[in-house]
Amino acid sequence: AQSVAQPEDQVNVAEGNPLTVKCTYSVSGNPYLFWYVQYPNRGLQFLLKYITGDNLVKGSYGFEAEFNKSQTSFHLKKPSALVSDSALYFCAVRAFDQAGTALIFGKGTTLSVSS
Amino acid sequence: KAGVTQTPRYLIKTRGQQVTLSCSPISGHRSVSWYQQTPGQGLQFLFEYFSETQRNKGNFPGRFSGRQFSNSRSEMNVSTLELGDSALYLCASSISGQSTDTQYFGPGTRLTVL
């Protein structure tokens, strides 16, 4: 069965410092991996995805993520955090041989950036 | 291009009632998926429609149903509402329903069951 783990419920970082939000996954076969962000009372906004190719994926708002197949991880990173990055972040996975577009989501990580 | 729209944004119902939620995908997108978000269970996949056909279904009881129209708009219906159905219901659309597609989410419908 496919699954996603986000081991940290909350990540706290000071503005200007680098941030990392962790994600590990379990799928049979090659994974397709996604990061979304959710602001209060809003839907999910797409940040980036890994399908194949370069292990470092660049996305929206200065975010990037590194795919590591041996560690089955897909951590979200940003070199310099902004207070406006404070939100709920979700990692999601889909197996490449799975029909349709259903995503399996992690529980989410709340990012808090202090000024 | 307009994003995914969902109506209504907020609903309050009582136990035993039924409810219909609506989703309009991004223009040109043919796949629509529905998810339920609750504090306890997180984000859970309900079902996916592509070209008016249900292609995938999550682990939810038969009280949850949906459909897709020829213009790709979708509705989901929940019958005999239970307190546990209180949640944010999110609709997402993708262009062709391929597993590599990005899903774009609407703002959600907040359902409260009293």
Side-chain angles (χ1 to χ4, degrees), chain A:
Chain A
Q2 302 170 71
S3 65
V4 176
Q6 294 181 241
E8 301 158 316
D9 290 337
Q10 179 145 349
V11 170
N12 299 309
V13 65
E15 188 174 33
N17 284 358
L19 69 87
T20 299
V21 183
K22 296 179 180 178
C23 171
T24 59
Y25 65 89
S26 174
V27 297
S28 54
N30 293 325
Y32 298 147
L33 294 154
F34 301 77
W35 275 102
Y36 287 85
V37 60
Q38 186 176 35
Y39 295 96
N41 299 316
R42 302 282 295 275
L44 275 66
Q45 294 181 29
F46 170 71
L47 286 177
L48 50 81
K49 67 181 178 182
Y50 172 81
I51 302 301
T52 188
D54 194 348
N55 289 342
L56 184 64
V57 179
K58 294 189 181 296
S60 306
Y61 314 118
F63 284 94
E64 58 188 29
E66 186 167 11
F67 172 66
N68 188 316
K69 188 172 184 178
S70 63
Q71 297 186 7
T72 62
S73 67
F74 189 55
H75 301 331
L76 182 70
K77 301 182 180 184
K78 188 174 183 181
S80 179
L82 300 172
V83 172
S84 57
D85 293 330
S86 299
L88 182 58
Y89 289 80
F90 290 98
C91 180
V93 69
R94 186 159 63 231
F96 93 105
D97 59 349
Q98 174 190 347
T101 57
L103 289 168
I104 306 300
F105 284 90
K107 290 292 187 183
T109 298
T110 299
L111 173 66
S112 179
V113 181
S114 57
S115 58

Side-chain angles (χ1 to χ4, degrees), chain A residues 32 34 36 38 41-46 49 51 88 90 94-107, chain B residues 9 31 33 35 37 40-43 45 48 55-56 88 90 94 97-107 110:
Chain A
Y32 298 147
F34 301 77
Y36 287 85
Q38 186 176 35
N41 299 316
R42 302 282 295 275
L44 275 66
Q45 294 181 29
F46 170 71
K49 67 181 178 182
I51 302 301
L88 182 58
F90 290 98
R94 186 159 63 231
F96 93 105
D97 59 349
Q98 174 190 347
T101 57
L103 289 168
I104 306 300
F105 284 90
K107 290 292 187 183
Chain B
R9 292 293 310 277
S31 171
S33 298
Y35 294 84
Q37 185 179 20
Q41 298 299 316
L43 280 155
F45 170 74
E48 178 202 358
R55 189 164 63 174
N56 212 346
L88 180 67
L90 293 164
S94 65
Q98 300 281 346
S99 56
T100 54
D101 281 358
T102 298
Q103 289 185 58
Y104 296 92
F105 285 78
R110 173 76 62 183

Side-chain angles (χ1 to χ4, degrees), chain B residues 56-113:
Chain B
N56 212 346
K57 190 178 192 307
N59 189 25
F60 278 82
R63 299 185 297 107
F64 291 81
S65 63
R67 60 178 175 169
Q68 186 181 33
F69 302 94
S70 59
N71 61 358
S72 295
R73 192 177 69 84
S74 177
E75 291 181 345
M76 69 163 280
N77 184 274
V78 188
S79 63
T80 319
L81 284 166
E82 301 177 359
L83 295 178
D85 297 333
S86 294
L88 180 67
Y89 289 88
L90 293 164
C91 167
S93 74
S94 65
I95 193 163
S96 61
Q98 300 281 346
S99 56
T100 54
D101 281 358
T102 298
Q103 289 185 58
Y104 296 92
F105 285 78
T109 294
R110 173 76 62 183
L111 173 64
T112 302
V113 182

